[in-house]
Amino acid sequence: MKKVHQGNHHGHITEKKNDASRKASGLNSIKGNCHNFCTAVFKDVTYKELKNLLNSKKIMLIDVRETWEILECGKIPGSVNIPLGEVGEALQMHPEDFKEKYNEVKPSKSDSLVFSCLAGVRSKKALDTAVSLGFNSAKHYAGGWKEWASYEYSEKPQGN
């Protein structure tokens, strides 16, 4: 009786293993398709969209310029500075470490992130990094600080 029980037991494990590997390969193909699809989706945010998103408080705007650039030029109000070289590591940090280093709550993979830089080159790289880490709602503001500053500071009369 014991032998029969062991035989069934082993058969059951093998069955489970095959089922698990079938599921895993299915997930991988879905993930592969999603990755291709997600990166193909147009992920640029316009100046007006960014203004609305910032007003709604529904996004985290991450400025990936170097800290000295922000100190020298200024930043979009409400943005968090995470230099491009730190983005991959920052998005994988323990939430407490993230809070300590950047003084902000670490975004979850479902949160809406928008990356910005000076003129859209670095923010696009940061976007690709974030999407590869599973932040599928991430976007980037291609106009960057240059465009933002041109809208924010050229149209307003002096003294406002």
Side-chain angles (χ1 to χ4, degrees), residues 6-26:
Q6 277 182 327
N8 286 347
H9 187 66
H10 285 297
H12 186 66
I13 286 174
T14 312
E15 209 174 282
K16 258 194 164 154
K17 204 185 246 179
N18 288 344
D19 198 19
S21 65
R22 258 201 310 277
K23 277 184 186 152
S25 68

Side-chain angles (χ1 to χ4, degrees), residues 54-83:
L54 286 168
N55 289 336
S56 75
K57 306 258 190 271
K58 287 189 177 134
I59 60 154
M60 178 184 245
L61 178 62
I62 299 176
D63 191 324
V64 298
R65 292 177 294 160
E66 297 303 315
T67 307
W68 66 264
E69 290 177 82
I70 289 169
L71 295 172
E72 205 169 276
C73 306
K75 69 174 194 159
I76 298 173
S79 63
V80 183
N81 178 218
I82 304 177

Side-chain angles (χ1 to χ4, degrees), residues 2-120:
K2 250 186 183 171
K3 274 193 173 171
V4 172
H5 181 71
Q6 277 182 327
N8 286 347
H9 187 66
H10 285 297
H12 186 66
I13 286 174
T14 312
E15 209 174 282
K16 258 194 164 154
K17 204 185 246 179
N18 288 344
D19 198 19
S21 65
R22 258 201 310 277
K23 277 184 186 152
S25 68
L27 282 175
N28 287 343
S29 64
I30 291 166
K31 197 173 166 193
N33 292 343
C34 173
H35 181 72
N36 296 340
F37 173 71
C38 294
T39 49
V41 172
F42 205 63
K43 288 182 168 278
D44 288 9
V45 176
T46 65
Y47 167 77
K48 279 205 163 82
E49 286 170 336
L50 183 59
K51 286 283 279 193
N52 292 337
L53 287 167
L54 286 168
N55 289 336
S56 75
K57 306 258 190 271
K58 287 189 177 134
I59 60 154
M60 178 184 245
L61 178 62
I62 299 176
D63 191 324
V64 298
R65 292 177 294 160
E66 297 303 315
T67 307
W68 66 264
E69 290 177 82
I70 289 169
L71 295 172
E72 205 169 276
C73 306
K75 69 174 194 159
I76 298 173
S79 63
V80 183
N81 178 218
I82 304 177
L84 179 60
E86 297 175 21
V87 168
E89 186 186 336
L91 293 178
Q92 296 177 80
M93 271 182 173
H94 187 279
E96 284 173 22
D97 297 335
F98 186 95
K99 176 91 174 117
E100 196 175 300
K101 183 162 186 178
Y102 300 109
N103 211 20
E104 285 290 336
V105 174
K106 183 187 172 206
S108 74
K109 290 189 176 174
S110 60
D111 287 347
S112 295
L113 300 181
V114 176
F115 294 97
S116 73
C117 59
L118 182 63

